[in-house]
Amino acid sequence: MSQGANTLLHIKSIYPTLKPAERRVADEVLRRPNNVVHLSITELARASKVSDATVVKFCKRLGYKGFQEFKILLAQDVVMKQSISGGEVEPGDDIRTIKEKVFRANISALQDTIQVLDTNALDAAVQALVKAREIHFYGLGISSIAAFDGEQKFTRIGRRASAFVDTHMQIARAVLLQPGDVVIGLSCSGETREIVEAVRTAGEYGAVTIAVTNHSASSLAKEADLVLLTCTQDNLVTKGGISSRIAQITTIDTLFVAVALVDLHRSQKVLAKTTEILSQRSGERI
């Protein structure tokens, strides 16, 4: 992702690597970007309870020449975000307002993820998945939903895919992997210790490891061979895992479709076979 393309997404991506004082600046920017574009460096420092020098260091950490370049690019980002932003859900919101905000939060998560999700990393992940003898999805909590979704999708096109959402099973199965197998570890924070450990173990046994996470500098991202970045807002909606789940599943969908297209005839044949047997059991088309 180009640093100038979306300042807010860049801040979120490197947030775990920021020093405590720099994080206070980041928190102020992420919380009130519309207001920050109108502040002087001293006003932002005061609002963040840091020194002017810390604000300058924060801008440098983002890769900008200084505060003015940071403000210009942030202003561009704010204009773009205003077109889809619905705001945070608040006490007293009626159902119509909640509907608007939840839908817009999910739309925003997908549009943000499009920007940070690297095409080259996606392509490399697809190539690895096509060649894999076995595919594992590791997830805990809300990420387990995306893990099971990945298992279901890839299995339906004849790929040997399994989801593991128990920490003991993740490690136990990781040690049985062989070179060329693929593991996809899902963690929004990228700091879920059990997922990081399972991905590290899989890598030690020769598997290609893929991280699906919000943070490019996270422990999971550093451990994986490939990083597929997602992006969600930090508010009441996403703290419940709503938007993060949507971003994860859509990333898995992208991999699934790309892998299916590599050998479309085979994929269609297997999918038709699984659809037929399931429709016989349910009485309707799947």
Side-chain angles (χ1 to χ4, degrees), residues 95-106:
I95 190 63
R96 181 184 296 275
T97 303
I98 293 171
K99 176 190 71 173
E100 290 288 335
K101 290 182 176 180
V102 170
F103 271 77
R104 289 185 183 279
N106 284 342

Side-chain angles (χ1 to χ4, degrees), residues 116-118 121-122 125 210-214 226-230 251 255:
V116 301
L117 188 54
D118 183 75
L122 269 175
I210 302 171
V212 179
T213 179
N214 277 7
L226 299 169
V227 179
L228 303 181
L229 281 179
T230 55
T251 301
L255 294 173

Side-chain angles (χ1 to χ4, degrees), residues 200-225:
R200 179 188 303 118
T201 301
E204 290 172 351
Y205 282 83
V208 177
T209 54
I210 302 171
V212 179
T213 179
N214 277 7
H215 299 294
S216 60
S218 64
S219 299
L220 180 60
K222 292 176 181 178
E223 201 64 57
D225 298 314

Side-chain angles (χ1 to χ4, degrees), residues 155-185:
T155 299
R156 291 288 301 277
I157 58 170
R159 303 287 173 174
R160 187 176 177 183
S162 303
F164 298 99
V165 299
D166 176 88
T167 57
H168 289 180
M169 285 301 298
Q170 287 167 357
I171 292 293
R173 291 301 301 270
V175 300
L176 299 179
L177 292 172
Q178 300 176 12
D181 291 339
V182 172
V183 162
I184 297 180

